[in-house]
Amino acid sequence: MKRFENKVCIVTGAASGIGQATAIAFAKEGAKVVLADIGDMTETAQALNIHQSSFIILNCNIGKREEVVNLIETTVKTFGRINCAVNSAGIAGKLSLPVHEYPEEDWLNQIQINLVGTYYCVKLQLEQMMKQGGGNIVCVSSAAGLVGQPDNSSYAASKHGVNGLVKSAAIEYATKNIRINAICPTAIETPMIMHGRRNLAENPAALEQAKNHQRMKRMGQPSEVADVALWLCSDQSSFITGHCMAVDGGAFA
Ligand SMILES: NC(=O)c1ccc[n+]([C@@H]2O[C@H](COP(=O)([O-])OP(=O)(O)OC[C@H]3O[C@@H](n4cnc5c(N)ncnc54)[C@H](O)[C@@H]3O)[C@@H](O)[C@H]2O)c1
């Protein structure tokens, strides 16, 4: 029997990067997968078809409460429950600026998506998990949720907020058969980082520098984060909750 056979798993941010890799990993392990994103999920859907996975695709902007309500309601209507949720949807700012120069609208938008949007997901997933008597949530946070990140304060504040939410909820639901953890990656080779603030895809020198900055002299792969997300969602991590786990190739060692 596959590890997630008959389990219903929501993945936000499923169109790209870590969310896409997580959705594919769940499908390989036999899960029924709910793909949620604002982006085009065709590529992810094609990969899931190869694994003959049962899945649905939902357009969902996590920053809009009513769209997250629809995500939860449609999941339950379609599959009856939510066993696991991996909340990977998020944005990174395109600017590198100190706090006093950072445009307020951009600053607040990152908080709205990364923190408030993740809060909507977590809150509504917990509501359903309380009704059904258990569940498992993983939020994809960031190493920027563990330490400050100069010229990127909004992103760092949003991810510190996610870690605070995860730790607090973990304690609140520890006796309710619900576990909630965060993953805090450093540089993972996804469109976010390749086309982000430093535009590494078009800047070979910066890409080389970014790799050299890593202890392993390479960036992490989305599948290396997905593997951790699945493990945290599985019974193999049954005594772990409220953990904000660095997936960092040794950066915090
Ligand atoms: N790549 C890295 O190095 C890295 C490092 C640390 C943390 N993270 C975090 O990992 C998560 C996934 O990022 P990624 O690297 O896979 O980036 P990505 O850009 O490849 O994927 C992010 C996905 O989230 C979706 N998304 C953005 N805003 C959304 C919204 N409002 N509602 C629904 N979906 C939305 C995008 O359309 C995209 O498909 C993010 O939360 C990010 O902050 C990434």
Side-chain angles (χ1 to χ4, degrees):
M1 174 135 162
K2 292 179 179 172
R3 203 162 39 143
F4 287 91
E5 196 97 50
N6 296 321
K7 303 276 190 205
V8 179
C9 305
I10 291 178
V11 182
T12 73
S16 175
I18 294 167
Q20 182 181 63
T22 302
I24 294 169
F26 270 133
K28 279 188 193 165
E29 298 262 17
K32 299 181 199 323
V33 190
V34 178
L35 309 174
D37 205 302
I38 47 170
D40 181 2
M41 288 173 272
T42 312
E43 195 181 285
T44 312
Q46 282 166 352
L48 265 59
N49 273 328
I50 292 168
H51 299 292
Q52 296 176 333
S53 164
S54 174
F55 67 91
I56 56 170
I57 298 174
L58 281 176
N59 225 284
C60 171
N61 180 344
I62 62 161
K64 296 194 171 162
R65 189 182 192 281
E66 66 280 9
E67 296 195 18
V68 182
V69 169
N70 180 54
L71 166 66
I72 303 302
E73 284 180 357
T74 308
T75 301
V76 175
K77 217 178 286 168
T78 310
F79 292 126
R81 66 195 178 281
I82 304 166
N83 296 99
C84 314
V86 175
N87 298 311
S88 187
I91 54 170
K94 295 270 181 202
L95 303 168
S96 294
L97 289 170
V99 177
H100 76 286
E101 290 176 10
Y102 212 100
E104 283 182 17
E105 198 182 326
D106 294 338
W107 205 97
L108 292 171
N109 189 43
Q110 286 179 70
I111 300 293
Q112 180 61 27
I113 305 301
N114 293 351
L115 178 55
V116 179
T118 300
Y119 156 72
Y120 290 147
C121 292
V122 166
K123 187 203 170 186
L124 296 164
Q125 288 155 1
L126 284 167
E127 263 180 29
Q128 173 58 27
M129 288 174 180
M130 284 298 286
K131 280 188 213 156
Q132 63 192 34
N136 211 314
I137 299 173
V138 171
C139 294
V140 183
S141 177
S142 172
L146 298 172
V147 290
Q149 208 165 72
D151 297 332
N152 203 16
S153 60
S154 168
Y155 184 76
S158 71
K159 296 300 191 177
H160 273 75
V162 168
N163 288 356
L165 169 67
V166 163
K167 289 183 196 179
S168 306
I171 299 166
E172 290 168 5
Y173 298 90
T175 60
K176 310 287 184 207
N177 197 30
I178 299 172
R179 293 189 295 116
I180 174 163
N181 291 286
I183 296 176
C184 300
T186 48
I188 309 298
E189 198 172 335
T190 70
M192 176 181 281
I193 202 153
M194 297 306 289
H195 303 288
R197 284 190 302 150
R198 286 172 291 165
N199 200 12
L200 299 182
E202 286 168 33
N203 191 344
L207 178 60
E208 219 29 56
Q209 193 188 33
K211 286 183 184 168
N212 270 327
H213 189 68
Q214 304 296 312
R215 301 258 193 246
M216 293 186 180
K217 305 299 175 201
R218 67 171 180 89
M219 288 204 261
Q221 293 304 307
S223 65
E224 294 177 292
V225 182
D227 286 343
V228 177
L230 261 68
W231 179 72
L232 285 171
C233 283
S234 77
D235 293 340
Q236 289 164 312
S237 60
S238 50
F239 202 50
I240 296 178
T241 195
H243 193 47
C244 299
M245 180 177 283
V247 177
D248 65 352
F252 283 97

